[in-house]
Every structure is written in C-alpha cells, then in structure tokens.
Amino acid sequence: MTGPAAPDRARAARPTARLGWMYLLVVAALAAIGVTAGDLYFLADRSLHLPWALALDGCEQVLAASGQVPAPSTLADCLAGVPRQRGLVMLGGAVLVPVGAALLLLLVPLVDQRRLRRQRGRFEVPGATARFAALCDENQLRGRRRPRLLIAGPPFRQAFTTGGIGRRPVVVLPAGVAVAYRDPGRFDPVVQHELAHVRAGDVTAVAAIRGLIWLPVPAVAVGALIEIFSFGPNVFVGRAVLRALLLSVLIAVLGALLMRIREREADLHVVRTGNGNALIALLATARERVLPAGNRPKAVARRLLARHPDPTRRAELLRRPDRLREGGLAQGLAVATVTVAAMVAAFEVTAELRPSARGWLPALVTVWTGAVLLTSGFMPSLVRRAEAVARTGARADWWRPLAGVGIGFFATTVVTAWFPTPGGAGLFQGQTREAGASLLLALLTSALGTGAVGLCVLLATTLAVGPSPEPGGRGTATDGRARTDSRDGRAPVGSRDGWAPVGNRWRYAGYATAIGVTVAVLWPMPVLASVWNDPGVLRAWLVYALPRTGWLLPALALPVLLAARARPAGPVHLRRLARSAEVRAVVLTVLICGGGAALHTGLNPPDALPEALRALQARWLICALAGWLVLLVTATYPGRGSLARPVLAAGAATGLTAVLQYAQSALAGGAAGLDALQLHLVAPLTCLLYLFALSLPPLLARRTVARLPALAQPPAPAPAPAASAPAPAGGLVPLVPSTPPTMPWLVRVALPATVATVVMLGPGAATLYTPLPSQSGAAAPAARLLPHPTAPTGPVTADPAQAPGPGPTPTVSPLPAAGRPLDTVEVDAVVRAVRSAVPTSWTARRSGSDSGSRIEPARCEPLFRDAYLEELKPGVRASAEAGYASPRGRVGVASTTVDVTVTSYAEPVPSSLFVAADAARAACRQFTAGEGGSAVRFTVGARPAPVLGEESWRVDYALSVGSGGNRITGTSAFVLVRVGHNLVTVYLSAVMQPLDERILGAVLTAAVRALDPP
C-alpha cells in the first residue's frame, strides 16, 4: 500500500490548489437564479408586466408572427418601442442575489464572533500557543495573514477557522487538542489542516458559502407568493418555481462540493508536511456519521449536501495523494450546468434590454458568457491535470471531464427547454416545445459543449508536455538540462528530468486561445433553437452566414499555438518533419482530393448560377473532408499518441486543398483577389473546425493512458534516434523519422480520400446542395439570419392579406336555399364558409362554454347561460360550430377570439326568442362570474344589432378581473341572426385590446351569405 509521502518542507510551502473556478461558478449560479427570481417577480406584478406584454403582443399580431416562429426583420423596428422594464428587473435580480451573498460575508463572521465571545480568555495553554506560532512560521504566514489562536471548551469539539473582512483569521482549537501539543501526532495534523485554509486565502469567502442555501429560497418566494395571492396557483407559477428550485438545488450542491474540495486540499497539505499517517490515525478514531439504511434518496441527498467528506473517504484519499482529482467528471458536470444556466440568463437579460437587437447582441453576449465560464472553470484544472499526467505518468482518463460536460449540457438544456418562463426570449424557447425536438437540440448542444472542452484538453496537453529538448538546442540550457518557461528561469520544485511546469506566458496564451476557440465552437447555439424546425433555414445559415461570422477568427489561434509548441529545433527536426507520416498523409490527400476536384471542375465548367453554387459547395466539403480524413488516419494509426500533430496536419490539408481550388478557379478565368481567396478558404476551415470539435472527444476518450516513457528513465548520454522517440498520449512528442509507409497505410489514406472525392463530386453535390436564401422556401426567417436579407426593411405595416375585414364571397357548393331546414353536411358547409372572413394568420380553436362558474346576482344567470335558447333545443335538426383565435404571442395577454354556431331547426325560429333575450338583457346590468380574486366582473351594454337576415339581436359586455396594477380588461359582443329555420350566433371577445367591429361584421356577413347564396 502506498502511503503518504515523507515530510517535504519545500513542497509544503507551495500554495494550495486554486479554487477560484468554484467561486466563479457560485457567483454565476447566483446571478442566474437572480435573473429567474427577477423575471418571476416581474411576471407576477401585473403593473410591471402588462405594458410590456401588450406592446409585445401588438407587434407580433400586426406582423402575424408568434413567438414560436423566427420573427421577420421588420419585427425589430416594432420591438424598439417595447418597454424594457422586464430586462431591468431581471438585471436587478442578477445583482441583488450576489449582493445578498456578499452581505453574508459580513453577517456570518459576526455570528461566529458572537458564539466565540464567551470562550476568549477561558483557556490558556502557553505550550500550544508556542507550537502554533512555530507552525505558522513554517507555513510562512506573516503579517495580516498570520492567524490568531483561540482555545475553546465545550460545546466546541471540532477545530475550525473563521475570519472577517479586514480582520486576521482565527483558528479555533478544542481544549482537548490544545493540551496535546506535546504529541505531534495529535496536535500538528489538526493545526496544519486549519493553516491550509488560511493559506488558501478564502476563509472569509467560505463564510458566505455556508449560507448560500438560504438565499435562493426568499428570492424565488417573493415573486411566487405575489402570483399565488393575486391569481391563485397556476401552471405558470409551477413551471417558474420548479425551474428556480432546480437552480437553488444546484447552488446548494455546488456550495457543499466547494466545502468538500477545500477539506480535501487541506488534507493534502497535511500530507505534504509529513503528517499524513498521523491524520489517517486520527480519522480512524473519528465518529463516522451513519447514513440512513433503506432510504437511498435521503442517503444520496445527504452525501451531496455534506460539507465534509466522511472519515473513511478522507483516509482513502490520503493514502493515494497523487491520484488525479482536478478536472474530473464532477467538475465537468458542475461547470457545464452553471455555464448553460448562465448562458440562458444572459440571453434573456440582453434580449429584454435591447429588443431591437435580438438578432445579434443576445447571441454575442450569450456565447462570450459561456466561453468565459467554461474556460475559466475548466482550463486551469485541465492544465494541472495534464501536468500531473506528465509528471507522474498516471492515467489521464480524459473521458471523465468530457462525459461530465456532455451530461451537464444535455440535462440543463432539456430542463430549460421543458420549463420555460412565460413570454421569455429564452435561449432554448424557439420551436423546441416538442419532446423529440428538445432532446435532439440537447444532444447537439451537448456535442458542441463537449467539443469545446475537447479542444481545451488538446490545448492543456500541448501546454503541459512540450517537445523533448535536445542537448545544446532550443529548449535546453547550456548544461543540457531542460529549460523552464518561468520568468525567473529556475526549475520549479517537483519537476522531473525532461519535464517542467508550464510558464505563465504560455499558460495565459493557452487560456486566451481556449476562450477564442470556445467562442467559435459555441457560436451556433443561440441560432439552433430558433431555426431548428426549419431545415432549409438552418442549412442556409450554416452555409452562407456562419462562415462570414467574424467571431470564428479567434479559433485561428489554435493552430498557431500548437505550431509554436511543436516548433522544430534545427535542421535535423526539419528533415524529420519532411519525412514524417503526417506530411506524407497531407501531400497524398491534397493530391487526391484537390486534384480530383480541380479536374472535375475543369472538365465540367458550370454555366449557370445554381450549378456554380453546387460546385462551390461540393469543393468546400471536399476541402473540409480532406483535413478530417488526415486527422482520423494519423490520430488512429498505431503508435501515434499525440493529437497536436494530427490536428496541425488536418488544418494544413484543408488549407492547401482550398488554395489549390482557388488557384484552379483563378487560372480558369474566375474571380481572383482577397475576396475570392476568402470565399474558397473560410468555409472549408469553418466546417473543419466543427468536425474537429465533434471528433476530438472520442479520440481523446480512447487515450485512457497518457505516459511519458522518456521521463521514467534518465536520458541517454548521447542523442540517438531511438532514445528520442517516445510516443505519449495526450501531449506533443518529438518528431520521429518515419519508415516508408507500407501498403496498408497508403490504403488507409488513399481509399477514404478517393471515395470522399467521388461521392462529393457525384451524388453528394446534388444531395447536400443548399440554394441561395432567396430561392429557399423560408425567405422571411432567413432574412434575419443571413448576411443578405431578402425581407424588406422599414416601418411596421400590416400585411393586406392578413388585415381583418370581410373576405371574398364564399363559394361553398352545394349551398342551401335561404331559410329552409338544413342537414348536418349543409350546416358544416355554412360554418366552413366563415373561415374566409377571419384573418389568414388566425388559428382554429375549440369552442368552450363555462357551465360551472357561480353568477352573482342570480337574476343575471339567464343572460350569461343563454337560457332563452333552451326552449328551441327540442327542435334542433343539425348544429355546427367553429372557433378562431388571433396569433398567440410569447406572452398571450392581448388576444381576440371568435366563436360561430349555426343551428337549423325543424320549425322556423320564432320572434319570441328575441323578446326573451331583450328581457334577460334588461334584467341585468352588472354581474360577476367566479369567486375570489379570479372572479370576472361584467358590465352589460347594448349596441345596435347589424341589419342582417330576418331579425337580429346584440348584447355587449365590458369585463375586468383583478384590481389596481393587476387589472385585466376586455370587451365582447354576442349577436343572434335569424334566417328562417336557421339561427346564427357569433361571440367575439377581445382581451386587453379594442373589439374589432370589422371582424364581427365580416363573420356575420359570411355566415348569412352562405345561407342565402347568389
């Protein structure tokens, strides 16, 4: 069994692992839940919510576009006048919740000081104080960083460290530990553990983490209680609260994970000081908390929310101090979950603050937010993991961070898409309400997130393991030892022969490159949800708009950094590079793919624009596939452990193939110059970038062991080719002279390249061809996404085809003579004729009636229930009804509905029906329907009935619900028209918008004309 290492004072002086990524995740999660809480409060307070909702619904109804469809470009002009209160309230929540966490930095230490006030001066152990001072000196704690010692009696039985802003930390030791200062096996491990917390410099910050679980609860409860008290429990509250609770649980789990990681790092510091065995002995005597038996969910919850690992687990970790822990599955899951939640919050806030810039600004802010969080939360840990692999030869297990990120992206995307906020401009609230579409979108976002982290892993391994130095060459000192990249030029403690930690300059360059690459990989995410259900628009955006996005340019730093770390040192390396397998694969692939495409274009020159576009897109794909094939062949060939050189070779293959296509086009008389070169080069490189992102995770996952054989043995005294040919997995390796490729190796390169070229120039060109956006069937959505929109710009005007008003004369055939009894088929024909009278953007709805509401006063119930129609029911021969509603926007507060019923009777409709209706209307002036805060108040009115049919009648209602700022109003009209044996009833209702008399007249006219055809 491998136990803790011997005392190493120099190693003990090293700073403990940085946990800044965890604090960054906690702040981001708090901001995300603040946005959710602010949005919940905004939607619950109708005085804030209604002006915004009415303005947005008005824009969407004028343009006949709901929030489920990508809005036309003209919607931006209308949205410029939408109030921004929602975005401001959400931004306020994002600020207030972290500020509440900051207040805990002041309150929690005050509570601790109040608890310890009675313990000051009660116990004095001079020997313990002296030994404590000696350990502080050993850990180089001086000045304001030097902690005070407080010896406490019961009820304090565990040592802990507390502190406040601007104050020195205080280490609290139980009296039983203090009196054992002469026993290093009891006193030193406990004190060293607490001093590790002081050295980490986060004693005050941890005070806020201890109370984080209580912050989300009141933040979410404020908005939820306002909604429930005003309108009662509803689906809106359930979805919003459930989403906020999921974020709250995430924050609680993150806080507990942070506390456990701090304890583990403090234990490792004890091991570095040589007190590991003593700490293991103390943990063996500790009382372990028994998890409940038979209640697995409770046991799992307790384990996830525990602030300290159980003693058995701590002892197990201490026995294996060199085991890789950073950058694992749990960290990947936490980073991915918070990243997606923060991206959703950033998108919602930006879209509401700048409604007119919905097409580009929210996407920009969202992608950069995700890139910064994903890189800051993962890249430093990945570099340290790669350094540990290079230093110790341990198993890399890169599948762990990749799996954690993939699961986190998938789960958070599904939850966000399935539990949207009403009316929110959510990142995944486009057309993904269906479960299948949400799952597919979650899989794709998971693939993008995993690909971004895969590229970060590639950068980390490249930084951690550079080319092995040659005596007297670049990268070595004059005495032949490896040079370091540290600014002081000294080899850091703990480095082994042939390896040195990454210098700060390389490290920061790697972090900047990782952010740029992550921005490029995550860029399609904001667009995917809005065009997911329209493959034509999606393909057009990917082909024509994505390559022209300037934010993909930072990804070019990736090959630059890889090439800089793999730079050849001297002519020997240059000759080996020229003879390497990667160069041969690049040359062979370029000749096959590039030559085949150029030959095909020369023999079949396009003579029209569609044929030219089809050929150009085929060449783009051939260039991208050329690089991808080089990557797969060179990365999977036996003995090729490094992925940096295959990636460089793949980029070179795509670039050379694209340049060859440009040269052939220029020589054939085509366009030349910088624009033409960009047209031939940018699209293939863009496609190759995403092929990299999708291919690297499986390639990294299969490299489970990453060892440096050259580090396990001292280097040979004289340079020899055999001694400089290690092939580590996960990092750069020295160039090795390749033997002439055998026939199977040639087949591995030539056969796929030939097949890809033939397929793409043949059936693939026609199958994968994407026409110009103006030729596709989705011109309106494409106008917002593509670089050359086809939709007109200018002020918002209603579409004449969708303007309400009387439509053309219905031409239903056969139609009955006016007034005679009708059968079921004829009644259905009359009802269908009404469809031409409503705007084309309206959708069908199922008509419904309220039969359970309580009506007060009771004399108004005959009017509300249409009781005057009851006496005609025995003579009904046939009846049909239809309902239509205006387009429902993302909010759906303002709406108009119409319900039409045509009934045919065996006897002519009597005039007494209208006498009874007049009596019911005269008996009631006001009434309420329902009970409590949701009761609807009606005021009865009467406008002149339309002159249609043999006789007509009308009643109007002014309705309202709620009070004050939460008051919702509406108007409705109910009309009866008698035509012989037939009765037409039309009910038109408008909520939070004027009643459109044109629609009412058009519907009545269409129904009567259908009964009396020309």
Side-chain angles (χ1 to χ4, degrees), residues 261-411:
I261 291 178
R262 291 183 69 255
E263 297 300 321
R264 185 192 67 197
E265 295 299 330
D267 288 345
L268 292 179
H269 174 74
V270 175
V271 173
R272 288 193 291 268
T273 60
N275 295 284
N277 290 325
L279 182 57
I280 292 175
L282 290 177
L283 292 174
T285 62
R287 180 182 302 177
E288 184 172 351
R289 190 172 185 178
V290 180
L291 295 176
N295 192 345
R296 186 173 180 81
K298 186 176 181 179
V300 172
R302 182 174 295 181
R303 185 178 293 108
L304 290 176
L305 298 176
R307 298 179 180 176
H308 289 73
D310 60 82
T312 303
R313 178 64 175 167
R314 291 177 65 184
E316 179 184 352
L317 294 176
L318 287 172
R319 294 187 181 96
R320 294 184 295 174
D322 292 331
R323 181 183 176 186
L324 297 178
R325 296 177 179 87
E326 281 195 283
L329 189 146
Q331 182 174 348
L333 185 62
V335 171
T337 303
V338 176
T339 297
V340 176
M343 291 176 69
V344 172
F347 187 92
E348 292 177 346
V349 172
T350 311
E352 298 300 339
L353 286 177
R354 291 294 303 272
S356 60
R358 287 174 184 258
W360 63 274
L361 186 60
L364 180 64
V365 175
T366 300
V367 172
W368 273 94
T369 300
V372 170
L373 285 177
L374 194 62
T375 305
S376 303
F378 229 157
M379 190 63 186
S381 299
L382 293 178
V383 172
R384 288 192 289 267
R385 187 182 184 93
E387 287 180 325
V389 170
R391 184 176 66 251
T392 64
R395 291 174 60 92
D397 286 341
W398 293 118
W399 65 268
R400 294 180 180 274
L402 296 173
V405 170
I407 295 173
F409 264 82
F410 178 83

Side-chain angles (χ1 to χ4, degrees), residues 614-902:
R614 184 178 292 109
L616 181 62
Q617 293 175 22
R619 291 198 299 269
W620 287 348
L621 292 175
I622 288 175
C623 295
L625 290 177
W628 189 52
L629 292 176
V630 170
L631 171 68
L632 296 181
V633 171
T634 56
T636 59
Y637 193 71
R640 304 287 172 180
S642 172
L643 286 180
R645 287 176 57 192
V647 167
L648 289 174
T654 294
L656 292 175
T657 307
V659 170
L660 181 61
Q661 302 303 310
Y662 165 75
Q664 188 273 338
S665 176
L667 293 176
L674 185 59
D675 292 338
L677 179 61
Q678 179 184 3
L679 180 65
H680 285 83
L681 189 61
V682 173
L685 290 178
T686 300
C687 184
L688 182 64
L689 172 65
Y690 293 101
L691 290 177
F692 276 169
L694 298 177
S695 303
L696 279 179
L699 291 177
L700 289 168
R702 66 189 294 268
R703 285 161 168 75
T704 57
V705 180
R707 298 183 180 276
L708 294 180
L711 302 183
Q713 338 175 358
S724 60
L732 289 175
V733 296
L735 295 174
V736 295
S738 64
T739 57
T742 59
M743 192 62 185
W745 190 90
L746 289 174
V747 172
R748 289 169 62 94
V749 178
L751 183 59
T754 304
V755 172
T757 304
V758 172
V759 171
M760 294 311 304
L761 293 177
T767 304
L768 300 178
Y769 168 64
T770 301
L772 284 173
S774 58
Q775 299 176 3
S776 65
R784 180 171 58 92
L785 301 175
L786 300 178
H788 301 290
T790 57
T793 58
V796 178
T797 56
D799 188 352
Q802 299 178 2
T809 302
T811 57
V812 181
S813 181
L815 286 176
R820 70 174 179 84
L822 308 179
D823 56 22
T824 303
V825 176
E826 293 170 331
V827 169
D828 289 337
V830 175
V831 170
R832 287 197 303 269
V834 175
R835 183 64 182 90
S836 61
V838 298
T840 57
S841 61
W842 286 32
T843 58
R845 62 182 292 269
R846 179 174 298 180
S847 303
S849 59
D850 185 0
S851 58
S853 299
R854 181 179 178 181
I855 307 301
E856 291 290 343
R859 65 176 181 273
C860 295
E861 189 160 357
L863 179 65
F864 181 79
R865 309 288 185 198
D866 301 333
Y868 41 82
L869 297 176
E870 294 294 329
E871 63 180 14
L872 301 181
K873 281 188 175 181
V876 173
R877 284 174 49 90
S879 180
E881 61 182 16
Y884 303 96
S886 60
R888 180 176 176 83
R890 288 182 287 111
V891 183
V893 172
S895 61
T896 299
T897 60
V898 61
D899 295 314
V900 181
T901 303
V902 178

